[in-house]
Structure formats: C-alpha cells, structure tokens
Amino acid sequence: MTDQDRLGERFRVATEAIREAGARGLHFFRNRDELDITSKGVQDTVSNADRELEAMIRGRLEAAFPNDAFFGEESGRGEGDLENGIWVVDPIDGTDCFVHSIPVWCVSIAFLVGKDVEIGLIYDPNADELFAARRGHGATVNGVPMKVAEATSFRDGLFSIGYSMRRPYGGTVDIFERLLAEDAMFQRNGSGALALAYVAAGRYIGYYEAHINSWDCLAAIGLIREAGGWTNDFLAGDGLFSGNVIAACAAGLEGPMREVCRLG
Ligand code: IPD
Ligand code: CA
C-alpha cells in the first residue's frame, strides 16, 4: 500500500465517521429533551451530544488507525504517535447555536501530518453539506469542486469575524473599526469551522478571529488551501495544542487582509 492509498483509506473512514456523527447530532438537535447542557466557563457550553459524538468519531478512527495520534475538543489528546499524523476533531462546532436551537453548527475532522493538512472534512447536517479536501486533490462541497471568491477588496463580498472570551475584546474592536473603514460587510454565524468552510466555498471572502483552537479551524485550513485561498501560519508556535490567531481569505485579498489584521 502506498502513502496515497493509506491517506485514501483514512479519507474514506473519516467521511463515514463524520456523516454518522452528523446524523446523530441532528437527532439530538431535534430532540432537545435528550440534551444535558452544562457550562465550561463564561459563554462556553457543552452537552452530552458533544461528548457522545466525539466518542463515536474517536472510537471509529482509533479502531481503524490505532497508531495515529488524536486531539479532540472534548476528550483531549490520545496515546498515538504524532509522527504518524494526528486527527484533530471538533464534534460540534457552534455549540452555542446548537443548544439554542439555531441550525448553524457542524462536525469537523482534520488529519495533519507534520505541517500539512492532508484531510479536511466539515459536515453541516442541517444543510446536508459535506465540505471535503485532500491535499493535492482539490476541495469539494457535496462532490462539486469549490474555490474561493475572486475578491480583491473588502467591498467585494461578505466578511466573517469570530470572537471568544479567550482574548481581550479590544483587539477585535480595533480590527472591526479598520474593516468598517474599508467598507467591509460582516457576519458572524456562530461556528468558526463552518464560516471558514464558507471561505473555501467562496461564500465569505474572509474570516478573522484573534484566537481559535485547532479543532475549530484545521479542517477548514485544508479546505481553503485546496480551494486556492490564503491563510496565515496558524500552526506557528504551539498553534496545534494551544490555538492561535486565524486569518483566512480569498487569494486576491491577502494584502488588504494582512494590513487590516496587522499580520505583517
Ligand atoms: C466556538 C465557535 C465560535 C468561535 C469560537 C469557538 P464551539 O467553538 O467556533 O464561532 O468564535 O472561537 O470556540 O464552542 O462552538 O465548539
Ligand atoms: Ca469549536
């Protein structure tokens, strides 16, 4: 078996796992009485659905690829060897939307080898949209090739910006001001992973968040790169395990994006 065959097999298993987890998530979403919601901190919730979905995905991936490393939002790091590659999983991104009955959430699975996102999968069960990429093989949504927007200025489409309590709000306010001064029109849908998938699909022209975790954005970084877009070096420093700033956009917007987000 070649390395490509092995990656193809991982892609197949992960695709099955993400669809299965998405279907189970949709069941919980439609049956709120089965949800047990608790707080992890200020404006940070979790439910039994998040934990169950992560356990499903992790169980499937570890059974099929026992030597791969694993890192998930709810269960943390596994025992596998980072040298073999690492699965990075968010079972429900957009948990606050999920628990408040807003249909904007998704499941996200990435497979990273070294600094390369080899597989990026994001599944939105409400829209039944599967965003998928394999490095060097392009990116698709429900099997249809996708590419980033043609934008070259912030006037050319919708921009998304995320925010969490993990960073002081002042920095985000400054970026907002600069974006508005450039005539940007912004949205925040409540799921960083899905918003970033929309950048890959050309629906948003870009996304910025002062701090995001790898489980929220790595799959989408794989999608955006395969769809011809630009992202900052999210994995710089300890981005994988501690998170980092994320900036991602249409290729033609890289210059203005670096300027507005002060990324040098
Ligand atoms: C959050 C969402 C949100 C983003 C935060 C994330 P969660 O993840 O992606 O849009 O702004 O940084 O923590 O809590 O819904 O899994
Ligand atoms: Ca998340």
Side-chain angles (χ1 to χ4, degrees), residues 29 43-47 50 73-74 90-108 126 188-195 212 215-216:
F29 187 66
Q43 298 282 8
D44 193 8
T45 45
V46 66
S47 76
D50 299 70
E73 171 160 20
E74 309 305 337
D90 193 344
I92 297 178
D93 185 60
T95 302
D96 286 332
C97 293
F98 184 87
V99 301
H100 293 114
S101 300
I102 297 168
V104 184
W105 52 272
C106 63
V107 187
S108 176
N126 287 286
R188 187 200 186 195
N189 68 7
S191 164
L194 198 55
I212 200 162
W215 52 71
D216 295 316

PDB file of all heavy atoms in Angstrom, residues 29 43-47 50 73-74 90-108 126 188-195 212 215-216:
ATOM      1  N   PHE A  29     -30.253  17.449  18.101  1.00  0.00           N
ATOM      2  CA  PHE A  29     -30.716  18.813  17.817  1.00  0.00           C
ATOM      3  C   PHE A  29     -32.242  18.863  17.732  1.00  0.00           C
ATOM      4  O   PHE A  29     -32.860  19.851  18.135  1.00  0.00           O
ATOM      5  CB  PHE A  29     -30.081  19.267  16.497  1.00  0.00           C
ATOM      6  CG  PHE A  29     -30.326  20.711  16.152  1.00  0.00           C
ATOM      7  CD1 PHE A  29     -29.795  21.731  16.933  1.00  0.00           C
ATOM      8  CD2 PHE A  29     -31.067  21.064  15.027  1.00  0.00           C
ATOM      9  CE1 PHE A  29     -29.999  23.065  16.611  1.00  0.00           C
ATOM     10  CE2 PHE A  29     -31.271  22.395  14.694  1.00  0.00           C
ATOM     11  CZ  PHE A  29     -30.738  23.398  15.488  1.00  0.00           C
ATOM     12  N   GLN A  43     -19.806  31.993  28.722  1.00  0.00           N
ATOM     13  CA  GLN A  43     -20.182  31.875  27.303  1.00  0.00           C
ATOM     14  C   GLN A  43     -19.523  30.664  26.653  1.00  0.00           C
ATOM     15  O   GLN A  43     -19.068  30.709  25.502  1.00  0.00           O
ATOM     16  CB  GLN A  43     -19.790  33.159  26.526  1.00  0.00           C
ATOM     17  CG  GLN A  43     -20.470  34.412  26.979  1.00  0.00           C
ATOM     18  CD  GLN A  43     -21.906  34.535  26.459  1.00  0.00           C
ATOM     19  OE1 GLN A  43     -22.452  33.622  25.880  1.00  0.00           O
ATOM     20  NE2 GLN A  43     -22.520  35.670  26.716  1.00  0.00           N
ATOM     21  N   ASP A  44     -19.436  29.551  27.363  1.00  0.00           N
ATOM     22  CA  ASP A  44     -18.800  28.349  26.829  1.00  0.00           C
ATOM     23  C   ASP A  44     -19.570  27.129  27.344  1.00  0.00           C
ATOM     24  O   ASP A  44     -19.415  26.737  28.496  1.00  0.00           O
ATOM     25  CB  ASP A  44     -17.327  28.301  27.274  1.00  0.00           C
ATOM     26  CG  ASP A  44     -16.541  27.250  26.498  1.00  0.00           C
ATOM     27  OD1 ASP A  44     -17.083  26.684  25.530  1.00  0.00           O
ATOM     28  OD2 ASP A  44     -15.375  27.008  26.864  1.00  0.00           O
ATOM     29  N   THR A  45     -20.414  26.573  26.475  1.00  0.00           N
ATOM     30  CA  THR A  45     -21.264  25.467  26.913  1.00  0.00           C
ATOM     31  C   THR A  45     -20.823  24.149  26.288  1.00  0.00           C
ATOM     32  O   THR A  45     -20.092  24.115  25.298  1.00  0.00           O
ATOM     33  CB  THR A  45     -22.737  25.714  26.500  1.00  0.00           C
ATOM     34  OG1 THR A  45     -22.745  26.151  25.155  1.00  0.00           O
ATOM     35  CG2 THR A  45     -23.403  26.724  27.376  1.00  0.00           C
ATOM     36  N   VAL A  46     -21.293  23.064  26.882  1.00  0.00           N
ATOM     37  CA  VAL A  46     -21.044  21.729  26.342  1.00  0.00           C
ATOM     38  C   VAL A  46     -22.268  20.888  26.672  1.00  0.00           C
ATOM     39  O   VAL A  46     -22.996  21.195  27.622  1.00  0.00           O
ATOM     40  CB  VAL A  46     -19.747  21.121  26.929  1.00  0.00           C
ATOM     41  CG1 VAL A  46     -19.870  20.861  28.411  1.00  0.00           C
ATOM     42  CG2 VAL A  46     -19.350  19.828  26.195  1.00  0.00           C
ATOM     43  N   SER A  47     -22.505  19.850  25.891  1.00  0.00           N
ATOM     44  CA  SER A  47     -23.645  18.976  26.169  1.00  0.00           C
ATOM     45  C   SER A  47     -23.215  17.524  26.016  1.00  0.00           C
ATOM     46  O   SER A  47     -22.128  17.239  25.501  1.00  0.00           O
ATOM     47  CB  SER A  47     -24.789  19.281  25.196  1.00  0.00           C
ATOM     48  OG  SER A  47     -24.489  18.731  23.928  1.00  0.00           O
ATOM     49  N   ASP A  50     -22.139  16.681  22.451  1.00  0.00           N
ATOM     50  CA  ASP A  50     -20.734  16.926  22.067  1.00  0.00           C
ATOM     51  C   ASP A  50     -19.874  15.723  22.461  1.00  0.00           C
ATOM     52  O   ASP A  50     -19.069  15.222  21.666  1.00  0.00           O
ATOM     53  CB  ASP A  50     -20.168  18.166  22.788  1.00  0.00           C
ATOM     54  CG  ASP A  50     -20.907  19.448  22.451  1.00  0.00           C
ATOM     55  OD1 ASP A  50     -22.076  19.595  22.875  1.00  0.00           O
ATOM     56  OD2 ASP A  50     -20.331  20.307  21.776  1.00  0.00           O
ATOM     57  N   GLU A  73     -11.742  18.290  20.957  1.00  0.00           N
ATOM     58  CA  GLU A  73     -12.157  19.357  21.868  1.00  0.00           C
ATOM     59  C   GLU A  73     -12.610  18.805  23.211  1.00  0.00           C
ATOM     60  O   GLU A  73     -12.300  19.381  24.254  1.00  0.00           O
ATOM     61  CB  GLU A  73     -13.286  20.191  21.250  1.00  0.00           C
ATOM     62  CG  GLU A  73     -13.871  21.166  22.278  1.00  0.00           C
ATOM     63  CD  GLU A  73     -14.627  22.335  21.716  1.00  0.00           C
ATOM     64  OE1 GLU A  73     -15.056  22.287  20.555  1.00  0.00           O
ATOM     65  OE2 GLU A  73     -14.794  23.320  22.471  1.00  0.00           O
ATOM     66  N   GLU A  74     -13.345  17.710  23.205  1.00  0.00           N
ATOM     67  CA  GLU A  74     -13.934  17.233  24.461  1.00  0.00           C
ATOM     68  C   GLU A  74     -13.072  16.226  25.211  1.00  0.00           C
ATOM     69  O   GLU A  74     -13.118  16.178  26.438  1.00  0.00           O
ATOM     70  CB  GLU A  74     -15.320  16.624  24.206  1.00  0.00           C
ATOM     71  CG  GLU A  74     -16.261  17.510  23.405  1.00  0.00           C
ATOM     72  CD  GLU A  74     -16.444  18.907  24.012  1.00  0.00           C
ATOM     73  OE1 GLU A  74     -16.222  19.087  25.232  1.00  0.00           O
ATOM     74  OE2 GLU A  74     -16.790  19.835  23.260  1.00  0.00           O
ATOM     75  N   ASP A  90     -13.467  18.363  16.126  1.00  0.00           N
ATOM     76  CA  ASP A  90     -14.481  19.097  16.889  1.00  0.00           C
ATOM     77  C   ASP A  90     -15.822  18.417  16.611  1.00  0.00           C
ATOM     78  O   ASP A  90     -16.311  18.452  15.478  1.00  0.00           O
ATOM     79  CB  ASP A  90     -14.531  20.567  16.464  1.00  0.00           C
ATOM     80  CG  ASP A  90     -15.344  21.395  17.451  1.00  0.00           C
ATOM     81  OD1 ASP A  90     -16.094  20.794  18.253  1.00  0.00           O
ATOM     82  OD2 ASP A  90     -15.238  22.629  17.420  1.00  0.00           O
ATOM     83  N   PRO A  91     -16.421  17.783  17.607  1.00  0.00           N
ATOM     84  CA  PRO A  91     -17.647  17.020  17.341  1.00  0.00           C
ATOM     85  C   PRO A  91     -18.835  17.912  17.015  1.00  0.00           C
ATOM     86  O   PRO A  91     -19.675  17.554  16.190  1.00  0.00           O
ATOM     87  CB  PRO A  91     -17.882  16.262  18.650  1.00  0.00           C
ATOM     88  CG  PRO A  91     -17.211  17.103  19.697  1.00  0.00           C
ATOM     89  CD  PRO A  91     -16.008  17.711  19.019  1.00  0.00           C
ATOM     90  N   ILE A  92     -18.917  19.072  17.678  1.00  0.00           N
ATOM     91  CA  ILE A  92     -19.957  20.052  17.340  1.00  0.00           C
ATOM     92  C   ILE A  92     -19.307  21.427  17.423  1.00  0.00           C
ATOM     93  O   ILE A  92     -18.979  21.896  18.521  1.00  0.00           O
ATOM     94  CB  ILE A  92     -21.163  19.994  18.308  1.00  0.00           C
ATOM     95  CG1 ILE A  92     -21.860  18.629  18.217  1.00  0.00           C
ATOM     96  CG2 ILE A  92     -22.161  21.119  17.982  1.00  0.00           C
ATOM     97  CD1 ILE A  92     -23.039  18.456  19.164  1.00  0.00           C
ATOM     98  N   ASP A  93     -19.108  22.045  16.292  1.00  0.00           N
ATOM     99  CA  ASP A  93     -18.616  23.423  16.323  1.00  0.00           C
ATOM    100  C   ASP A  93     -19.815  24.334  16.096  1.00  0.00           C
ATOM    101  O   ASP A  93     -20.578  24.162  15.149  1.00  0.00           O
ATOM    102  CB  ASP A  93     -17.555  23.697  15.261  1.00  0.00           C
ATOM    103  CG  ASP A  93     -17.022  25.098  15.463  1.00  0.00           C
ATOM    104  OD1 ASP A  93     -16.493  25.361  16.551  1.00  0.00           O
ATOM    105  OD2 ASP A  93     -17.199  25.948  14.573  1.00  0.00           O
ATOM    106  N   GLY A  94     -19.952  25.293  17.034  1.00  0.00           N
ATOM    107  CA  GLY A  94     -21.165  26.111  17.050  1.00  0.00           C
ATOM    108  C   GLY A  94     -22.072  25.578  18.152  1.00  0.00           C
ATOM    109  O   GLY A  94     -23.295  25.575  18.016  1.00  0.00           O
ATOM    110  N   THR A  95     -21.451  25.155  19.261  1.00  0.00           N
ATOM    111  CA  THR A  95     -22.225  24.553  20.355  1.00  0.00           C
ATOM    112  C   THR A  95     -23.286  25.511  20.881  1.00  0.00           C
ATOM    113  O   THR A  95     -24.404  25.090  21.199  1.00  0.00           O
ATOM    114  CB  THR A  95     -21.287  24.119  21.500  1.00  0.00           C
ATOM    115  OG1 THR A  95     -20.345  23.195  20.957  1.00  0.00           O
ATOM    116  CG2 THR A  95     -22.042  23.443  22.624  1.00  0.00           C
ATOM    117  N   ASP A  96     -22.964  26.795  20.961  1.00  0.00           N
ATOM    118  CA  ASP A  96     -23.966  27.735  21.475  1.00  0.00           C
ATOM    119  C   ASP A  96     -25.176  27.799  20.549  1.00  0.00           C
ATOM    120  O   ASP A  96     -26.325  27.846  21.012  1.00  0.00           O
ATOM    121  CB  ASP A  96     -23.357  29.133  21.683  1.00  0.00           C
ATOM    122  CG  ASP A  96     -22.461  29.146  22.911  1.00  0.00           C
ATOM    123  OD1 ASP A  96     -22.711  28.347  23.831  1.00  0.00           O
ATOM    124  OD2 ASP A  96     -21.507  29.933  22.934  1.00  0.00           O
ATOM    125  N   CYS A  97     -24.950  27.788  19.242  1.00  0.00           N
ATOM    126  CA  CYS A  97     -26.080  27.720  18.303  1.00  0.00           C
ATOM    127  C   CYS A  97     -26.844  26.428  18.544  1.00  0.00           C
ATOM    128  O   CYS A  97     -28.078  26.432  18.634  1.00  0.00           O
ATOM    129  CB  CYS A  97     -25.569  27.739  16.858  1.00  0.00           C
ATOM    130  SG  CYS A  97     -24.793  29.271  16.355  1.00  0.00           S
ATOM    131  N   PHE A  98     -26.108  25.336  18.651  1.00  0.00           N
ATOM    132  CA  PHE A  98     -26.714  24.006  18.819  1.00  0.00           C
ATOM    133  C   PHE A  98     -27.655  23.990  20.024  1.00  0.00           C
ATOM    134  O   PHE A  98     -28.804  23.563  19.917  1.00  0.00           O
ATOM    135  CB  PHE A  98     -25.586  22.980  18.997  1.00  0.00           C
ATOM    136  CG  PHE A  98     -26.029  21.556  19.096  1.00  0.00           C
ATOM    137  CD1 PHE A  98     -26.207  20.782  17.956  1.00  0.00           C
ATOM    138  CD2 PHE A  98     -26.251  20.962  20.329  1.00  0.00           C
ATOM    139  CE1 PHE A  98     -26.615  19.457  18.038  1.00  0.00           C
ATOM    140  CE2 PHE A  98     -26.657  19.639  20.427  1.00  0.00           C
ATOM    141  CZ  PHE A  98     -26.845  18.889  19.279  1.00  0.00           C
ATOM    142  N   VAL A  99     -27.188  24.473  21.160  1.00  0.00           N
ATOM    143  CA  VAL A  99     -28.017  24.376  22.371  1.00  0.00           C
ATOM    144  C   VAL A  99     -29.150  25.404  22.378  1.00  0.00           C
ATOM    145  O   VAL A  99     -30.091  25.266  23.148  1.00  0.00           O
ATOM    146  CB  VAL A  99     -27.183  24.476  23.681  1.00  0.00           C
ATOM    147  CG1 VAL A  99     -26.136  23.382  23.732  1.00  0.00           C
ATOM    148  CG2 VAL A  99     -26.560  25.845  23.848  1.00  0.00           C
ATOM    149  N   HIS A 100     -29.057  26.417  21.529  1.00  0.00           N
ATOM    150  CA  HIS A 100     -30.134  27.407  21.448  1.00  0.00           C
ATOM    151  C   HIS A 100     -31.017  27.204  20.210  1.00  0.00           C
ATOM    152  O   HIS A 100     -31.710  28.132  19.772  1.00  0.00           O
ATOM    153  CB  HIS A 100     -29.556  28.827  21.470  1.00  0.00           C
ATOM    154  CG  HIS A 100     -28.919  29.168  22.782  1.00  0.00           C
ATOM    155  ND1 HIS A 100     -27.560  29.404  22.917  1.00  0.00           N
ATOM    156  CD2 HIS A 100     -29.430  29.259  24.020  1.00  0.00           C
ATOM    157  CE1 HIS A 100     -27.289  29.644  24.193  1.00  0.00           C
ATOM    158  NE2 HIS A 100     -28.407  29.569  24.885  1.00  0.00           N
ATOM    159  N   SER A 101     -30.961  25.999  19.640  1.00  0.00           N
ATOM    160  CA  SER A 101     -31.832  25.626  18.511  1.00  0.00           C
ATOM    161  C   SER A 101     -31.618  26.455  17.248  1.00  0.00           C
ATOM    162  O   SER A 101     -32.549  26.662  16.471  1.00  0.00           O
ATOM    163  CB  SER A 101     -33.315  25.695  18.916  1.00  0.00           C
ATOM    164  OG  SER A 101     -33.556  24.819  19.986  1.00  0.00           O
ATOM    165  N   ILE A 102     -30.397  26.935  17.077  1.00  0.00           N
ATOM    166  CA  ILE A 102     -30.070  27.665  15.845  1.00  0.00           C
ATOM    167  C   ILE A 102     -29.324  26.686  14.926  1.00  0.00           C
ATOM    168  O   ILE A 102     -28.302  26.118  15.340  1.00  0.00           O
ATOM    169  CB  ILE A 102     -29.190  28.908  16.152  1.00  0.00           C
ATOM    170  CG1 ILE A 102     -29.971  29.883  17.044  1.00  0.00           C
ATOM    171  CG2 ILE A 102     -28.741  29.586  14.866  1.00  0.00           C
ATOM    172  CD1 ILE A 102     -29.110  30.992  17.642  1.00  0.00           C
ATOM    173  N   PRO A 103     -29.807  26.478  13.712  1.00  0.00           N
ATOM    174  CA  PRO A 103     -29.226  25.422  12.861  1.00  0.00           C
ATOM    175  C   PRO A 103     -27.924  25.822  12.175  1.00  0.00           C
ATOM    176  O   PRO A 103     -27.771  25.687  10.968  1.00  0.00           O
ATOM    177  CB  PRO A 103     -30.341  25.154  11.845  1.00  0.00           C
ATOM    178  CG  PRO A 103     -31.045  26.461  11.724  1.00  0.00           C
ATOM    179  CD  PRO A 103     -30.980  27.117  13.079  1.00  0.00           C
ATOM    180  N   VAL A 104     -26.979  26.334  12.973  1.00  0.00           N
ATOM    181  CA  VAL A 104     -25.665  26.703  12.419  1.00  0.00           C
ATOM    182  C   VAL A 104     -24.595  26.031  13.271  1.00  0.00           C
ATOM    183  O   VAL A 104     -24.073  26.607  14.231  1.00  0.00           O
ATOM    184  CB  VAL A 104     -25.453  28.239  12.403  1.00  0.00           C
ATOM    185  CG1 VAL A 104     -24.126  28.574  11.722  1.00  0.00           C
ATOM    186  CG2 VAL A 104     -26.588  28.935  11.676  1.00  0.00           C
ATOM    187  N   TRP A 105     -24.298  24.808  12.952  1.00  0.00           N
ATOM    188  CA  TRP A 105     -23.258  24.055  13.649  1.00  0.00           C
ATOM    189  C   TRP A 105     -22.803  22.945  12.708  1.00  0.00           C
ATOM    190  O   TRP A 105     -23.493  22.631  11.723  1.00  0.00           O
ATOM    191  CB  TRP A 105     -23.766  23.479  14.983  1.00  0.00           C
ATOM    192  CG  TRP A 105     -25.030  22.682  14.869  1.00  0.00           C
ATOM    193  CD1 TRP A 105     -26.302  23.164  14.930  1.00  0.00           C
ATOM    194  CD2 TRP A 105     -25.148  21.271  14.621  1.00  0.00           C
ATOM    195  NE1 TRP A 105     -27.212  22.146  14.751  1.00  0.00           N
ATOM    196  CE2 TRP A 105     -26.526  20.963  14.556  1.00  0.00           C
ATOM    197  CE3 TRP A 105     -24.229  20.226  14.455  1.00  0.00           C
ATOM    198  CZ2 TRP A 105     -27.003  19.671  14.330  1.00  0.00           C
ATOM    199  CZ3 TRP A 105     -24.704  18.936  14.240  1.00  0.00           C
ATOM    200  CH2 TRP A 105     -26.073  18.667  14.172  1.00  0.00           C
ATOM    201  N   CYS A 106     -21.663  22.372  13.002  1.00  0.00           N
ATOM    202  CA  CYS A 106     -21.111  21.370  12.091  1.00  0.00           C
ATOM    203  C   CYS A 106     -20.177  20.440  12.853  1.00  0.00           C
ATOM    204  O   CYS A 106     -19.848  20.680  14.020  1.00  0.00           O
ATOM    205  CB  CYS A 106     -20.345  22.067  10.960  1.00  0.00           C
ATOM    206  SG  CYS A 106     -18.921  23.024  11.540  1.00  0.00           S
ATOM    207  N   VAL A 107     -19.761  19.390  12.170  1.00  0.00           N
ATOM    208  CA  VAL A 107     -18.750  18.469  12.703  1.00  0.00           C
ATOM    209  C   VAL A 107     -17.485  18.700  11.880  1.00  0.00           C
ATOM    210  O   VAL A 107     -17.565  18.900  10.665  1.00  0.00           O
ATOM    211  CB  VAL A 107     -19.206  17.000  12.554  1.00  0.00           C
ATOM    212  CG1 VAL A 107     -18.237  16.061  13.261  1.00  0.00           C
ATOM    213  CG2 VAL A 107     -20.630  16.806  13.068  1.00  0.00           C
ATOM    214  N   SER A 108     -16.325  18.674  12.543  1.00  0.00           N
ATOM    215  CA  SER A 108     -15.085  18.978  11.830  1.00  0.00           C
ATOM    216  C   SER A 108     -14.016  17.937  12.146  1.00  0.00           C
ATOM    217  O   SER A 108     -13.758  17.630  13.316  1.00  0.00           O
ATOM    218  CB  SER A 108     -14.612  20.381  12.261  1.00  0.00           C
ATOM    219  OG  SER A 108     -13.372  20.677  11.664  1.00  0.00           O
ATOM    220  N   ASN A 126     -27.544  20.098   9.004  1.00  0.00           N
ATOM    221  CA  ASN A 126     -28.792  20.813   8.725  1.00  0.00           C
ATOM    222  C   ASN A 126     -28.961  21.087   7.237  1.00  0.00           C
ATOM    223  O   ASN A 126     -30.068  21.015   6.699  1.00  0.00           O
ATOM    224  CB  ASN A 126     -28.846  22.119   9.517  1.00  0.00           C
ATOM    225  CG  ASN A 126     -29.096  21.859  10.990  1.00  0.00           C
ATOM    226  OD1 ASN A 126     -30.208  21.529  11.381  1.00  0.00           O
ATOM    227  ND2 ASN A 126     -28.051  21.972  11.802  1.00  0.00           N
ATOM    228  N   ARG A 188     -21.447  37.147  11.578  1.00  0.00           N
ATOM    229  CA  ARG A 188     -20.893  36.123  12.453  1.00  0.00           C
ATOM    230  C   ARG A 188     -21.956  35.052  12.598  1.00  0.00           C
ATOM    231  O   ARG A 188     -23.032  35.309  13.128  1.00  0.00           O
ATOM    232  CB  ARG A 188     -20.547  36.672  13.829  1.00  0.00           C
ATOM    233  CG  ARG A 188     -19.821  35.594  14.596  1.00  0.00           C
ATOM    234  CD  ARG A 188     -19.790  35.736  16.066  1.00  0.00           C
ATOM    235  NE  ARG A 188     -18.929  34.666  16.565  1.00  0.00           N
ATOM    236  CZ  ARG A 188     -18.874  34.294  17.809  1.00  0.00           C
ATOM    237  NH1 ARG A 188     -19.593  34.911  18.705  1.00  0.00           N
ATOM    238  NH2 ARG A 188     -18.093  33.311  18.179  1.00  0.00           N
ATOM    239  N   ASN A 189     -21.670  33.859  12.107  1.00  0.00           N
ATOM    240  CA  ASN A 189     -22.720  32.843  12.151  1.00  0.00           C
ATOM    241  C   ASN A 189     -22.701  32.016  13.426  1.00  0.00           C
ATOM    242  O   ASN A 189     -23.660  31.316  13.719  1.00  0.00           O
ATOM    243  CB  ASN A 189     -22.677  31.951  10.896  1.00  0.00           C
ATOM    244  CG  ASN A 189     -21.444  31.061  10.822  1.00  0.00           C
ATOM    245  OD1 ASN A 189     -20.658  30.997  11.759  1.00  0.00           O
ATOM    246  ND2 ASN A 189     -21.277  30.385   9.716  1.00  0.00           N
ATOM    247  N   GLY A 190     -21.596  32.044  14.203  1.00  0.00           N
ATOM    248  CA  GLY A 190     -21.539  31.305  15.472  1.00  0.00           C
ATOM    249  C   GLY A 190     -20.792  29.987  15.390  1.00  0.00           C
ATOM    250  O   GLY A 190     -20.622  29.314  16.404  1.00  0.00           O
ATOM    251  N   SER A 191     -20.338  29.611  14.199  1.00  0.00           N
ATOM    252  CA  SER A 191     -19.490  28.423  14.063  1.00  0.00           C
ATOM    253  C   SER A 191     -18.273  28.812  13.238  1.00  0.00           C
ATOM    254  O   SER A 191     -18.360  29.022  12.020  1.00  0.00           O
ATOM    255  CB  SER A 191     -20.243  27.283  13.364  1.00  0.00           C
ATOM    256  OG  SER A 191     -19.306  26.301  12.914  1.00  0.00           O
ATOM    257  N   GLY A 192     -17.125  28.910  13.919  1.00  0.00           N
ATOM    258  CA  GLY A 192     -15.889  29.278  13.219  1.00  0.00           C
ATOM    259  C   GLY A 192     -15.580  28.298  12.097  1.00  0.00           C
ATOM    260  O   GLY A 192     -15.198  28.697  10.992  1.00  0.00           O
ATOM    261  N   ALA A 193     -15.752  27.000  12.370  1.00  0.00           N
ATOM    262  CA  ALA A 193     -15.424  25.985  11.353  1.00  0.00           C
ATOM    263  C   ALA A 193     -16.296  26.152  10.113  1.00  0.00           C
ATOM    264  O   ALA A 193     -15.796  26.117   8.982  1.00  0.00           O
ATOM    265  CB  ALA A 193     -15.605  24.584  11.940  1.00  0.00           C
ATOM    266  N   LEU A 194     -17.594  26.383  10.336  1.00  0.00           N
ATOM    267  CA  LEU A 194     -18.497  26.499   9.176  1.00  0.00           C
ATOM    268  C   LEU A 194     -18.237  27.807   8.416  1.00  0.00           C
ATOM    269  O   LEU A 194     -18.253  27.835   7.182  1.00  0.00           O
ATOM    270  CB  LEU A 194     -19.954  26.411   9.640  1.00  0.00           C
ATOM    271  CG  LEU A 194     -20.981  26.079   8.556  1.00  0.00           C
ATOM    272  CD1 LEU A 194     -20.638  24.794   7.818  1.00  0.00           C
ATOM    273  CD2 LEU A 194     -22.371  25.978   9.171  1.00  0.00           C
ATOM    274  N   ALA A 195     -17.967  28.870   9.154  1.00  0.00           N
ATOM    275  CA  ALA A 195     -17.662  30.144   8.491  1.00  0.00           C
ATOM    276  C   ALA A 195     -16.412  29.996   7.625  1.00  0.00           C
ATOM    277  O   ALA A 195     -16.342  30.493   6.496  1.00  0.00           O
ATOM    278  CB  ALA A 195     -17.478  31.246   9.531  1.00  0.00           C
ATOM    279  N   ILE A 212      -8.279  31.049  18.022  1.00  0.00           N
ATOM    280  CA  ILE A 212      -9.169  29.917  17.738  1.00  0.00           C
ATOM    281  C   ILE A 212      -8.372  28.653  18.013  1.00  0.00           C
ATOM    282  O   ILE A 212      -7.132  28.651  17.936  1.00  0.00           O
ATOM    283  CB  ILE A 212      -9.691  29.984  16.279  1.00  0.00           C
ATOM    284  CG1 ILE A 212     -10.971  29.147  16.106  1.00  0.00           C
ATOM    285  CG2 ILE A 212      -8.621  29.556  15.286  1.00  0.00           C
ATOM    286  CD1 ILE A 212     -11.765  29.498  14.852  1.00  0.00           C
ATOM    287  N   TRP A 215      -9.002  22.496  16.684  1.00  0.00           N
ATOM    288  CA  TRP A 215     -10.151  21.668  16.295  1.00  0.00           C
ATOM    289  C   TRP A 215     -11.216  22.492  15.581  1.00  0.00           C
ATOM    290  O   TRP A 215     -12.029  21.956  14.852  1.00  0.00           O
ATOM    291  CB  TRP A 215     -10.738  20.947  17.514  1.00  0.00           C
ATOM    292  CG  TRP A 215     -11.066  21.852  18.685  1.00  0.00           C
ATOM    293  CD1 TRP A 215     -12.078  22.748  18.758  1.00  0.00           C
ATOM    294  CD2 TRP A 215     -10.369  21.924  19.933  1.00  0.00           C
ATOM    295  NE1 TRP A 215     -12.051  23.391  19.980  1.00  0.00           N
ATOM    296  CE2 TRP A 215     -11.018  22.890  20.720  1.00  0.00           C
ATOM    297  CE3 TRP A 215      -9.257  21.253  20.471  1.00  0.00           C
ATOM    298  CZ2 TRP A 215     -10.607  23.225  22.022  1.00  0.00           C
ATOM    299  CZ3 TRP A 215      -8.837  21.588  21.759  1.00  0.00           C
ATOM    300  CH2 TRP A 215      -9.508  22.567  22.512  1.00  0.00           C
ATOM    301  N   ASP A 216     -11.201  23.818  15.775  1.00  0.00           N
ATOM    302  CA  ASP A 216     -12.172  24.686  15.105  1.00  0.00           C
ATOM    303  C   ASP A 216     -11.772  25.023  13.669  1.00  0.00           C
ATOM    304  O   ASP A 216     -12.620  25.453  12.888  1.00  0.00           O
ATOM    305  CB  ASP A 216     -12.299  26.035  15.833  1.00  0.00           C
ATOM    306  CG  ASP A 216     -12.861  25.902  17.226  1.00  0.00           C
ATOM    307  OD1 ASP A 216     -13.831  25.156  17.398  1.00  0.00           O
ATOM    308  OD2 ASP A 216     -12.319  26.559  18.146  1.00  0.00           O
TER     309      ASP A 216
END
